[in-house]
């Protein structure tokens, strides 16, 4: 079983839509749940992260973790064309190395 | 805003040759990492480095790979004898060290390695 599974998409939404991006994981030792954004041929850019279960909000972005079901979500409100990128979930045990999902490619259509 | 830089942006080499990829981490960071991303695949952890020694490494990081912090600013990844399957984007990352654990890793723009 893969450590982290993520639907690769692609996902296309109209501008202003609410976007839901999701990952599942198998390793119960994961404690920190990071979300990165990656533009084509660029390095991953840290968006936000949560610790353990719960929600965290940062502007239009909300990260959510449900450890009981091993489910990670990122919601984007009022999506903009500039949000078009690949979104990577990357949980971490606390021992420093990140376990990346395959990424979901998002396109926001003006 | 401080950022991680990497050189070169693109490296082409012949199979069997040695390559050195260079990174300058963010100046007050103490944890350094290398990841790679084969085209169309996920980002994979290679190695982490703290206090002048390897902290963790993955199965990918075999004897052909080595890392070094030759001075106070650079962090390098050496591949001794490159193989075709080493062709990938290599990302350097760095993070602060808080009680020897750090969660916010900041990535450089990557070096595209092409082995022919």
């Amino acid at each position: 079983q893969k450590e982290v599974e993520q639907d690769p998409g692609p996902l296309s939404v109209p501008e202003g839509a609410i976007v839901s991006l999701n990952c599942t994981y198998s390793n119960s030792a994961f404690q920190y749940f990071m979300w990165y954004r990656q533009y084509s041929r660029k390095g991953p850019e840290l968006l936000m992260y949560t610790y353990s279960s719960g929600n965290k909000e940062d502007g239009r972005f909300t990260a959510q973790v449900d450890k009981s079901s091993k489910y990670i979500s990122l919601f984007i409100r009022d999506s903009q064309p500039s949000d078009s990128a690949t979104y990577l979930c990357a949980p971490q045990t606390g021992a420093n190395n990140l376990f990346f999902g395959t990424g979901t490619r998002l396109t926001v259509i003006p | 805003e401080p950022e991680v830089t990497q050189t070169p942006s693109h490296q082409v080499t012949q199979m069997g040759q040695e390559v050195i990829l260079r990174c300058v981490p963010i100046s007050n960071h103490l944890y350094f990492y290398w990841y790679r991303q084969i085209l169309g695949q996920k980002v994979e952890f290679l190695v982490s480095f703290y206090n002048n020694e390897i902290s963790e490494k993955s199965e990918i990081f075999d004897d052909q790979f080595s890392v070094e912090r030759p001075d106070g600013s650079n962090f390098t990844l050496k591949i001794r004898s490159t193989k075709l399957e080493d062709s990938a984007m290599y990302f350097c990352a760095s993070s602060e060290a808080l009680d020897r654990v750090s969660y916010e890793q900041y990535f450089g723009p990557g070096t595209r390695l092409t082995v022919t």
Side-chain angles (χ1 to χ4, degrees), chain B residues 29-42:
Chain B
H29 286 183
L30 297 178
Y31 263 111
F32 314 117
Y33 313 83
W34 284 101
Y35 290 82
R36 78 171 187 190
Q37 186 175 30
I38 295 171
L39 188 63
Q41 297 186 26
K42 64 181 179 180

Side-chain angles (χ1 to χ4, degrees), chain B residues 16-81:
Chain B
Q17 295 296 304
E18 175 184 287
V19 293
I20 297 176
L21 310 183
R22 292 182 166 79
C23 169
V24 178
I26 294 172
S27 62
N28 64 330
H29 286 183
L30 297 178
Y31 263 111
F32 314 117
Y33 313 83
W34 284 101
Y35 290 82
R36 78 171 187 190
Q37 186 175 30
I38 295 171
L39 188 63
Q41 297 186 26
K42 64 181 179 180
V43 177
E44 300 174 289
F45 169 76
L46 292 178
V47 66
S48 61
F49 190 86
Y50 173 74
N51 199 25
N52 283 319
E53 61 183 21
I54 290 174
S55 178
E56 277 188 79
K57 60 183 181 179
S58 72
E59 291 176 354
I60 303 167
F61 194 87
D62 61 22
D63 291 343
Q64 293 298 311
F65 291 89
S66 62
V67 289
E68 192 178 29
R69 187 153 165 82
D71 54 44
S73 59
N74 289 284
F75 179 53
T76 62
L77 174 70
K78 182 193 290 186
I79 309 175
R80 257 180 275 283
S81 178

Side-chain angles (χ1 to χ4, degrees), chain B residues 84-100:
Chain B
L84 293 175
E85 55 264 37
D86 293 327
S87 295
M89 193 75 146
Y90 287 80
F91 293 109
C92 174
S94 70
S95 62
E96 293 183 89
L98 305 169
D99 297 325
R100 289 187 58 87

Side-chain angles (χ1 to χ4, degrees), chain A residues 59-108:
Chain A
R60 297 184 294 109
F61 296 86
T62 300
Q64 196 171 73
V65 176
D66 182 347
K67 290 191 79 177
S68 63
S69 59
K70 297 188 175 69
Y71 199 80
I72 313 165
S73 300
L74 178 71
F75 299 96
I76 307 173
R77 290 187 301 282
D78 187 24
S79 54
Q80 302 295 309
S82 58
D83 296 329
S84 298
T86 296
Y87 289 80
L88 308 164
C89 62
Q92 186 186 45
T93 61
N96 298 313
N97 53 311
L98 297 167
F99 292 82
F100 280 90
T102 52
T104 300
R105 187 188 299 176
L106 171 68
T107 301
V108 181

Side-chain angles (χ1 to χ4, degrees), chain A residues 15-83:
Chain A
E15 184 176 351
I18 296 174
V19 176
S20 172
L21 304 165
N22 308 294
C23 291
T24 58
Y25 65 93
S26 58
N27 188 345
S28 299
F30 289 145
Q31 298 182 59
Y32 296 87
F33 302 88
M34 331 298 280
W35 281 97
Y36 283 82
R37 177 173 61 195
Q38 187 176 27
Y39 294 108
S40 181
R41 296 182 177 263
K42 302 288 186 186
E45 171 195 6
L46 180 63
L47 272 178
M48 60 192 303
Y49 70 93
T50 55
Y51 171 67
S52 194
S53 283
N55 291 1
K56 185 174 182 178
E57 191 172 315
D58 184 359
R60 297 184 294 109
F61 296 86
T62 300
Q64 196 171 73
V65 176
D66 182 347
K67 290 191 79 177
S68 63
S69 59
K70 297 188 175 69
Y71 199 80
I72 313 165
S73 300
L74 178 71
F75 299 96
I76 307 173
R77 290 187 301 282
D78 187 24
S79 54
Q80 302 295 309
S82 58
D83 296 329

